[in-house]
């Protein structure tokens, strides 16, 4: 068969089905001479009846199908397919996932590894020790501790200006105590050594605006020697306080990565660390690895975090100098030859730092999946050398690159970012058992959401795993689904992670079964109270509707399922179909009343006309909205409605009295950094500090901040104006009962606010 024919055959391979996209990419790449693994992609075990991933939500939007049939061309770029979230595994303990793995001198009890990431509590010993200890107790195969400590006394102090407040010497830091705690659970413990390229300053305010790539030439020869010596010295000091090894961060904006690719390595051709040869490009990392092995001994493990597939996300097309798959393999082989014990792969994007380590953010815009933080799109069939499958909302994205690298090295290879085996057990188990990769690295689902993730998965208790929503609230804020991590051992939660036992015998009545009410009921019951939750409809509150509008990327259906399952586990008495009023409360006479009834929607802003109806946000999915739609409000509901409509190919104008920065209030800043640019690139328009004045036939009039009336052609107004607090019931009962108001009922805002207020109220009642 000719090369041309082979290419055609590859192109007709379906992108659907288990790892199908990567399979097709592999065949296509093979035809191009890349030498990827030939043969069939591994197939999922047939899903048993009802075996569709227990953890998967099931809400599907009536209008925008997940197979990409929406009007917007953006939905066609990376059509999404959720069929991969199946589970047919009955005995997780006997899977490859939970089989032993050797990394250098270490034997891990399973293939799940906590990747290194900032805990946000590095220097507070009690928090830091408890945080890492819980992850080890929760059954992970190894724990990689974050690199937020001063390892490199000279270079780091100079370059990592913004990080310096957090950093301290290895010996001053809580690292020894953290390591001892992790070891007490018989879990290997490594620590990350990271040093950013000079010029990189991590400031949260700069999110989405970086766009600049920092080059290797910023380092003098003396800097390089300092970096190498300090890293080797740091590793020896880490070994002295008990660590089993280090994780050398050589990915993204970290220093060695800038030397690996010709894109970042702008040094002279004759420079020994310059771009001319792979040997020169990897010289820094290899000197470090060899130096550590000489100083600490062969058994001290050195794993290296590298870019598995590279692309310039700031200027698509400016890719001539990024590493090709062949260069990546040559780099990995050099690292192995120098003595590296394992490789962790993640996506190498260049311009937006956060996209390097939470690249699932590019899939956050439902209907324009694959959007970069610069308003452009990765078509995953053609970008990243065709190694990645973009049809699973970013889940397992890096596995194609792992598969390719693993064929060319003999040390274990794993991948990180949105590797969530509880979401798609068959998908990950098949990839592991077929040898696409050796281990799975995870951070958010384990460290923030559920430290018991691994144990629960091994025991098949998938529906008891608190799911990560990929919402990115944790970048600079509290986790959406678990308010503990940043709050434990503070005034908010002086008791730490574990809840305090019940404060006497109390009957707790929770009114409302949205996320706030369910979390409050769960925690109150865990403390030992007798809890009854009343819900006038079914459990979930706004979560189901939100998932219809937002799509499945944020796993809101999983979150609803988890919260409702935990009500069963904790023995909460759940009464659905019961609307509660003050008389009903008096009848039941509880000791504590928690009002979680959600917010109150305002009256519609105006009466509509035949040609331009005005509808409430909850009605818009079932209505004919025409082509030109005005959305009222900058809150999360309005923002998501606007995103949805623009992905449908509508012309959308969002109008609100607040300033422009309020667009997306209640949503994570980071998620907005990924989604907003695509919204604007697709033609979305904001009218801040404006109010709707009148509605005519086919047009509306808006009063703007300049005092002028502006006329807009408009087929429909969707009123998603911010809700009001819902305290009428609580006001009526106060004085008679111990009443608490939580979630949207207290302040219409967000899921994170609902769960945090629910959790804290129940901890303290
Ligand atoms: C389209 C859309 C997009 C959204 N996007 C986001 C987002 O990106 N990020 C984010 O954080 N949030 C988002 N939200 C908001 C989020 O869903 C809410 O903030 C959250 O659900 C509030 O939780 P809650 O439990 O306080 O209230 P709700 O979810 O409103 O639940 C209240 C429950 O109380 C019940 N109830 C009310 N009165 C009574 C009564 N008298 N007796 C018994 N039961 C009663 C209701 O039936 C309901 O089930 C979005 C919402 C929508 C609709
Ligand atoms: C707040 C935060 C800080 C992080 N800090 C680091 C870091 O210092 N070094 C690193 O290699 N990765 C870091 N990461 C990336 C994580 O290790 C991990 O790769 C990422 O969260 C994706 O994996 P997940 O989907 O399992 O969370 C960080 C992630 C987050 C959310
Ligand atoms: S904030 Fe969101 S993305 Fe971060 S860990 Fe929590 S649920 Fe996951």
């Amino acid at each position: 068969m000719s090369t041309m024919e082979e290419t055609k055959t590859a192109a007709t391979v379906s992108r659907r089905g288990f790892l199908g996209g990567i399979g097709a990419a592999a065949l296509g790449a093979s035809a191009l001479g890349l030498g990827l693994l030939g043969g069939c992609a591994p197939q999922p075990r047939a899903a048993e009846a009802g075996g569709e991933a227990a953890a998967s939500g099931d809400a599907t939007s009536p209008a925008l199908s997940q197979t990409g049939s929406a009007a917007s061309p953006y939905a066609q770029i990376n059509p999404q397919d959720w069929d991969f979230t199946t589970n047919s595994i009955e005995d997780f303990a006997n899977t490859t996932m939970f089989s032993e793995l050797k990394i250098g001198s270490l034997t891990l009890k399973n293939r799940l590894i906590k990747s290194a990431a900032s805990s946000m509590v590095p220097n507070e010993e009690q928090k830091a020790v408890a945080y890492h200890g819980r992850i080890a107790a929760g059954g992970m195969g190894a724990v990689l501790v974050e690199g937020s400590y001063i390892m490199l006394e000279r270079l780091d102090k100079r370059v990592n200006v913004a990080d310096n407040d957090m950093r301290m010497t290895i010996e001053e830091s809580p690292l020894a105590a953290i390591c001892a705690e992790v070891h007490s659970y018989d879990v290997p413990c490594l620590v990350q050594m990271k040093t950013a390229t000079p010029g990189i300053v991590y400031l949260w305010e700069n999110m989405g605006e970086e766009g600049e790539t920092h080059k290797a030439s910023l380092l003098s020869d003396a800097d390089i020697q300092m970096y190498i010596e300090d890293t080797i010295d740091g590793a020896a000091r880490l070994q002295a306080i008990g660590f089993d090894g280090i994780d050398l961060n050589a990915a993204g904006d970290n220093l060695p990565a800038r030397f690996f690719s010709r894109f970042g390595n702008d040094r002279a051709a004759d420079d020994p660390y310059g771009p001319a040869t792979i040997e020169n490009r990897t010289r820094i990392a290899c000197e470090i690895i060899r130096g550590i092995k000489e100083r600490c001994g062969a058994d001290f493990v050195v794993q290296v975090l590298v870019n598995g597939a590279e692309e310039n996300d700031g200027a698509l097309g400016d890719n001539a100098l990024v590493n090709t798959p062949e260069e990546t393999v040559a780099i990995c082989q050099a690292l192995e030859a120098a003595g590296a014990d394992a490789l962790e792969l993640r996506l190498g994007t260049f311009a937006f730092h956060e996209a390097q380590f939470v690249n699932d953010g590019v899939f956050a815009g439902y209907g324009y999946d694959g959007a970069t933080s610069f308003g452009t799109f990765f078509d995953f069939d053609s970008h990243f050398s065709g190694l990645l499958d973009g049809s699973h909302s970013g889940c397992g994205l890096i596995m194609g690159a792992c598969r390719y690298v693993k064929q060319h090295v003999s040390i274990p290879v794993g991948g990180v970012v949105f590797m969530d085996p509880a979401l798609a057990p068959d998908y990950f188990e098949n990839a592991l058992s077929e040898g696409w990769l050796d281990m799975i690295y995870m951070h958010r689902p384990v460290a923030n959401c559920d430290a018991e993730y691994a144990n629960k998965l091994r025991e098949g208790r998938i529906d008891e795993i608190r799911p990560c929503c990929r919402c990115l609230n944790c970048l600079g804020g509290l986790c959406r689904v678990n308010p503990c991590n940043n709050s434990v051992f503070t005034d908010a939660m002086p008791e730490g992670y574990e809840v305090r036992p019940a404060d006497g015998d109390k009957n707790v009545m929770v009114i409302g079964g949205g996320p706030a009410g369910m979390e409050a009921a769960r925690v109150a019951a865990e403390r030992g109270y007798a809890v009854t939750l009343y819900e006038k409809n079914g459990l979930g509150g706004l979560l189901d509707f939100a998932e219809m509008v937002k799509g499945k990327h944020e796993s809101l259906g999983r979150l609803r399922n988890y919260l409702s399952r935990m009500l069963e586990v904790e023995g909460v008495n759940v009464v659905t179909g019961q609307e509660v009023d003050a008389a009903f409360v008096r009848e039941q006479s509880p000791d504590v009343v928690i009002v979680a009834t959600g917010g109150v929607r305002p009256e519609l802003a105006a009466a509509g006309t035949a040609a331009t109806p005005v509808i409430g946000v909850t009605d818009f999915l079932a209505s004919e909205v025409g082509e030109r739609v005005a959305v009222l409000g900058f809150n999360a509901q309005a923002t998501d409605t606007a995103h949805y409509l623009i992905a449908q190919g509508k012309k959308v104008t969002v109008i609100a009295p607040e300033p422009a920065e309020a667009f997306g209030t209640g949503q994570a800043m980071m998620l907005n950094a990924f989604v907003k640019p695509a919204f604007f690139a697709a033609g979305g328009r904001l009218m801040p500090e404006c109010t709707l004045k009148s509605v005519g036939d086919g047009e509306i009039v808006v009063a703007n901040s300049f005092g002028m009336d502006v006329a807009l052609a408009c087929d429909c107004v969707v009123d998603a104006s911010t809700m009001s607090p819902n305290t009428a019931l609580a006001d009526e009962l106060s004085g008679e009962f111990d009443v608490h108001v939580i979630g949207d009922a207290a302040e219409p805002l967000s899921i994170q606010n609902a769960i945090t207020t629910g959790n804290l109220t129940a901890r303290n009642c």
Side-chain angles (χ1 to χ4, degrees):
M1 192 189 284
S2 72
T3 304
M4 184 68 91
E5 282 165 338
E6 283 171 14
T7 310
K8 270 165 92 182
T9 309
T12 59
V13 173
S14 165
R15 293 184 67 212
R16 306 288 154 257
F18 174 71
L19 298 174
I22 305 173
L27 284 168
S30 161
L32 295 170
L34 286 176
L36 304 186
L37 191 72
C40 300
Q43 294 302 309
R45 301 168 207 196
E48 290 167 358
E52 178 85 355
S56 176
D58 48 18
T60 304
S61 159
L64 179 61
S65 103
Q66 291 279 4
T67 51
S69 61
S72 164
Y74 299 103
Q76 313 297 332
I77 295 177
N78 294 295
Q80 299 298 299
D81 176 359
W82 285 87
D83 290 350
F84 75 108
T85 59
T86 58
N87 176 36
S88 60
I89 303 171
E90 286 175 359
D91 181 5
F92 279 88
N94 278 318
T95 53
T96 309
M97 208 181 303
F98 284 97
S99 63
E100 283 188 351
L101 173 71
K102 278 193 81 66
I103 293 185
S105 60
L106 301 172
T107 303
L108 278 55
K109 66 183 169 209
N110 61 48
R111 310 299 183 97
L112 305 181
I113 299 177
K114 159 70 177 82
S115 72
S118 171
S119 63
M120 308 286 177
V121 294
N123 296 342
E124 296 168 60
E125 180 152 338
Q126 186 184 28
K127 282 187 194 179
V129 170
Y131 170 91
H132 290 98
R134 288 169 75 252
I135 295 166
M140 295 299 280
V143 172
L144 308 188
V145 177
E146 67 192 282
S148 304
Y149 302 92
I150 290 182
M151 309 298 172
L152 315 177
E153 313 266 327
R154 295 174 293 172
L155 190 63
D156 267 344
K157 272 201 176 126
R158 189 162 72 67
V159 301
N160 286 325
V161 184
D163 260 2
N164 273 345
D165 286 351
M166 292 210 307
R167 292 179 168 227
M168 52 173 68
T169 66
I170 290 167
E171 290 76 14
E172 286 165 358
S173 76
L175 280 172
I178 292 169
C179 184
E181 181 74 5
V182 171
H183 279 166
S184 74
Y185 296 100
D186 206 16
V187 172
C189 193
L190 284 71
V191 65
Q192 180 169 93
M193 303 195 73
K194 63 171 183 180
T195 290
T197 313
I200 286 283
V201 178
Y202 300 101
L203 290 178
W204 298 119
E205 304 91 75
N206 287 350
M207 280 171 181
E209 294 171 8
E210 287 171 16
E212 197 187 332
T213 304
H214 302 270
K215 305 285 185 181
S217 62
L218 286 167
L219 283 156
S220 67
D221 290 350
D223 286 341
I224 291 176
Q225 287 318 309
M226 202 189 282
Y227 172 63
I228 294 170
E229 286 164 19
D230 280 0
T231 305
I232 296 168
D233 181 59
R237 288 160 60 196
L238 288 163
Q239 185 184 35
I241 60 171
F243 281 96
D244 301 303
I246 67 136
D247 168 38
L248 181 67
N249 191 337
D253 284 322
N254 284 274
L255 196 150
R258 287 298 179 236
F259 288 74
F260 285 170
S261 86
R262 290 180 298 144
F263 192 90
N265 196 333
D266 59 345
R267 298 173 76 85
D270 60 351
D271 185 301
Y273 298 98
T277 63
I278 295 289
E279 191 185 359
N280 288 353
R281 284 152 61 179
T282 57
R283 192 179 299 283
I284 291 182
C286 291
E287 285 185 6
I288 287 174
I289 296 166
R290 280 193 293 269
I292 292 175
K293 291 287 182 177
E294 271 166 30
R295 184 98 165 257
C296 304
D299 285 353
F300 189 70
V301 168
V302 180
Q303 83 145 41
V304 191
L305 173 62
V306 292
N307 294 338
E310 294 188 337
E311 186 92 24
N312 181 6
D313 52 338
L316 298 189
D318 179 16
N319 276 325
L321 300 178
V322 306
N323 280 331
T324 61
E326 293 82 353
E327 283 169 292
T328 299
V329 159
I331 288 162
C332 291
Q333 287 171 334
L335 299 173
E336 180 181 11
D341 295 291
L343 296 168
E344 176 184 359
L345 269 50
R346 72 181 193 198
L347 211 59
T349 49
F350 284 134
F352 182 43
H353 177 76
E354 284 71 19
Q356 296 161 5
F357 62 93
V358 284
N359 47 69
D360 43 333
V362 308
F363 293 90
Y366 177 35
Y368 35 87
D369 308 77
T372 72
S373 340
F374 301 95
T376 48
F377 285 84
F378 293 127
D379 172 348
F380 280 88
D381 276 348
S382 1
H383 286 272
F384 295 101
S385 304
L387 282 175
L388 312 179
D389 180 0
S391 70
H392 295 149
S393 209
C395 185
L397 197 64
I398 199 69
M399 289 204 296
C402 292
R403 181 192 191 205
Y404 179 55
V405 169
K406 192 171 147 44
Q407 292 162 52
H408 298 95
V409 297
S410 53
I411 51 178
V413 176
V416 70
V417 185
F418 202 169
M419 304 286 278
D420 189 350
L423 171 66
D426 290 334
Y427 177 65
F428 285 101
E429 174 59 15
N430 278 295
L432 285 164
S433 63
E434 293 292 332
W436 286 48
L437 72 174
D438 298 292
M439 60 277 196
I440 288 172
Y441 292 85
M442 305 167 73
H443 166 57
R444 288 165 293 172
V446 177
N448 294 343
C449 303
D450 198 333
E452 290 181 78
Y453 186 107
N455 284 342
K456 287 178 179 174
L457 187 61
R458 187 170 39 78
E459 292 160 16
R461 296 189 287 138
I462 294 181
D463 53 357
E464 293 175 30
I465 294 174
R466 192 185 332 229
C468 175
C469 294
R470 309 283 145 199
C471 62
L472 302 179
N473 273 282
C474 50
L475 277 160
L478 285 179
C479 174
R480 173 187 276 180
V481 300
N482 184 354
C484 289
N485 284 343
N486 290 0
S487 309
V488 290
F489 308 117
T490 65
D491 289 347
M493 287 183 197
E495 66 277 7
Y497 288 98
E498 302 307 324
V499 293
R500 284 181 289 119
D503 184 12
D505 286 341
K506 288 183 191 170
N507 286 312
V508 176
M509 173 189 274
V510 178
I511 309 169
M518 288 197 280
E519 176 71 356
R522 180 189 75 76
V523 173
E526 191 183 349
R527 291 185 62 194
Y529 292 127
V531 183
T532 303
L533 181 150
Y534 295 96
E535 163 56 52
K536 67 179 178 185
N537 299 315
L539 291 174
L542 287 178
L543 291 179
D544 283 354
F545 177 58
E547 181 158 85
M548 282 190 203
V549 177
K550 295 167 81 71
K552 287 188 177 186
H553 180 77
E554 291 182 40
S555 284
L556 297 183
R558 276 174 94 192
L559 178 61
R560 185 242 297 121
N561 292 348
Y562 157 79
L563 288 166
S564 92
R565 167 69 182 143
M566 292 315 287
L567 298 179
E568 283 171 30
V569 170
E570 298 295 349
V572 173
N573 180 27
V574 176
V575 182
T576 51
Q578 174 69 58
E579 180 158 5
V580 173
D581 58 15
F584 185 81
V585 177
R586 291 189 185 105
E587 226 173 79
Q588 304 300 315
S589 193
D591 300 300
V592 178
V593 181
I594 298 179
V595 178
T597 47
V600 181
R601 296 221 178 261
E603 296 284 306
L604 290 181
T609 64
T612 305
V614 177
I615 58 173
V617 65
T618 49
D619 294 326
F620 93 91
L621 283 177
S623 305
E624 179 48 62
V625 294
E627 292 309 307
R628 299 157 306 178
V629 188
V631 176
L632 305 184
F634 279 176
N635 56 68
Q637 302 192 28
T639 306
D640 283 325
T641 300
H643 287 313
Y644 178 98
L645 290 167
I646 206 128
Q648 291 278 309
K650 311 290 181 195
K651 292 195 180 348
V652 178
T653 306
V654 194
I655 302 161
E658 293 94 356
E661 303 77 62
F663 183 54
T665 298
Q667 295 187 314
M669 174 176 59
M670 266 300 302
L671 214 56
N672 285 329
F674 281 102
V675 177
K676 263 199 228 170
F679 174 76
F680 293 123
R685 178 183 180 191
L686 292 194
M687 293 190 74
E689 299 174 51
C690 291
T691 48
L692 178 68
K693 203 165 169 190
S694 63
V695 180
D697 268 336
E699 112 173 352
I700 58 173
V701 176
V702 173
N704 79 2
S705 56
F706 191 58
M708 288 185 87
D709 289 350
V710 180
L712 296 177
C714 178
D715 300 320
C716 182
V717 177
V718 178
D719 189 350
S721 302
T722 302
M723 298 189 293
S724 309
N726 189 357
T727 56
L729 181 59
D731 293 344
E732 200 177 338
L733 297 171
S734 77
E736 281 179 73
F737 294 92
D738 177 12
V739 191
H740 306 262
V741 187
I742 61 173
D744 275 10
E747 182 190 9
L749 187 61
S750 66
I751 299 161
Q752 184 254 307
N753 177 63
I755 290 186
T756 299
T757 54
N759 188 301
L760 286 174
T761 301
R763 277 175 180 256
N764 293 307
C765 68

